[in-house]
């Protein structure tokens, strides 16, 4: 299944942050057990790309991509290591170009109409909306989507189980991303059941929001 197909049925993208491939696989397995089969492995540790590869090797049902991709060089490295998608906090044309050269979906971060318009004129049909809560949350997204009528958004930053239904109720939202599904304290304590529980809860919320 492609990432867009997965996100259409399960519109939630969990962030995975680890410096240990084995731990990253455990986190991802726990998320997949709860029904979330996408992992945005953020490049915020030295071994993040190894973590992404380990997930891809050991959990073939999971689509593992790279997040927090800041430069074209990082995007190239992520491509070499098999990233299935690329997420950036901001809109960088070099990152977008590398992903497109490789035919991989890329979701650059946007926060303002100017940034969304630049993404639109680069030919992108989906952008990350980041940091969603600070950028104006649901009212801002609704306003942006009334102007950029074909653009789909991936709000991330401040998304919680409480506000997830409101974000998913915006028709232009493809999926929501966030770190609430992979709390550092649960990982530190080896409590992977808690992660499965959070994933199941998010899947249930998403089903209900999208059914309504
Ligand atoms: C990101 O990288 O997209 C954000 O750090 C996620 O924000 P959150 O921690 O509020 O979910």
């Amino acid at each position: 299944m492609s990432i867009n197909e997965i996100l259409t049925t399960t519109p939630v993208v969990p962030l995975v942050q680890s410096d240990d491939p084995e731990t990253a696989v455990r986190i991802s397995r726990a998320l997949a057990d709860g029904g979330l089969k996408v992992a945005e492995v953020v490049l915020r540790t030295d071994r993040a790309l190894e973590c992404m590869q380990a997930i891809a090797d050991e959990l073939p049902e999971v689509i593992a991509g790279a997040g927090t991709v800041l430069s074209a060089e990082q995007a190239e490295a992520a491509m070499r290591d098999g990233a299935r998608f690329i997420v950036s906090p901001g809109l960088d044309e070099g990152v977008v170009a590398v992903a497109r050269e490789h035919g991989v979906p890329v979701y650059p971060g946007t926060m303002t109409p100017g940034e969304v318009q630049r993404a639109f004129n680069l030919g992108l049909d989906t952008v990350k909306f980041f940091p969603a809560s600070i950028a104006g949350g649901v009212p801002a997204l609704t306003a942006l989507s009334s102007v950029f009528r074909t653009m789909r958004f991936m709000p991330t930053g401040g998304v919680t189980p409480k506000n997830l239904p409101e974000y998913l109720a915006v028709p232009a939202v493809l999926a929501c991303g966030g770190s609430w599904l992979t709390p550092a304290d649960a990982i530190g304590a080896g409590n992977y059941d808690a992660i499965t529980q959070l994933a199941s809860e998010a899947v249930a919320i998403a089903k209900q929001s999208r059914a309504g």
Side-chain angles (χ1 to χ4, degrees), residues 92-165:
D92 179 88
E93 285 166 28
V95 170
V96 171
V98 168
R100 291 174 122 196
E101 246 167 62
H102 291 267
V104 162
V106 55
Y107 308 109
T110 59
M111 190 178 177
T112 64
E115 289 163 354
V116 179
Q117 192 164 332
R118 261 177 65 213
F120 175 81
N121 286 316
L122 289 173
L124 295 171
D125 57 14
T126 308
V127 289
K128 175 171 168 168
F129 179 58
F130 176 76
S133 55
I134 293 162
V138 168
L141 259 179
T142 306
L144 286 170
S145 62
S146 72
V147 180
F148 299 100
R149 304 184 72 83
T150 54
M151 194 59 90
R152 317 272 332 258
F153 295 87
M154 215 189 277
T156 308
V159 180
T160 63
K162 197 159 174 277
N163 61 26
L164 181 61

Side-chain angles (χ1 to χ4, degrees), residues 14-98:
L15 263 57
V16 174
Q17 177 168 346
S18 180
D19 57 4
D20 173 49
E22 206 176 301
T23 303
V25 170
R26 286 209 184 121
I27 298 168
S28 233
R29 185 178 289 123
L31 289 165
D33 286 347
L36 295 181
K37 299 201 170 134
V38 171
E40 179 188 330
V41 182
V42 291
L43 305 192
R44 298 181 203 167
T45 67
D46 290 343
R47 300 182 73 195
L49 286 176
E50 273 179 74
C51 290
M52 185 189 74
Q53 278 182 311
I55 293 168
D57 288 347
E58 296 200 30
L59 305 170
E61 76 275 24
V62 172
I63 295 203
T68 321
V69 176
L70 303 182
S71 65
E73 291 71 24
Q74 282 188 336
E76 286 286 2
M79 290 294 111
R80 269 198 303 277
D81 289 345
R84 304 273 301 275
F85 62 92
I86 296 280
V87 183
S88 286
L91 176 58
D92 179 88
E93 285 166 28
V95 170
V96 171
V98 168

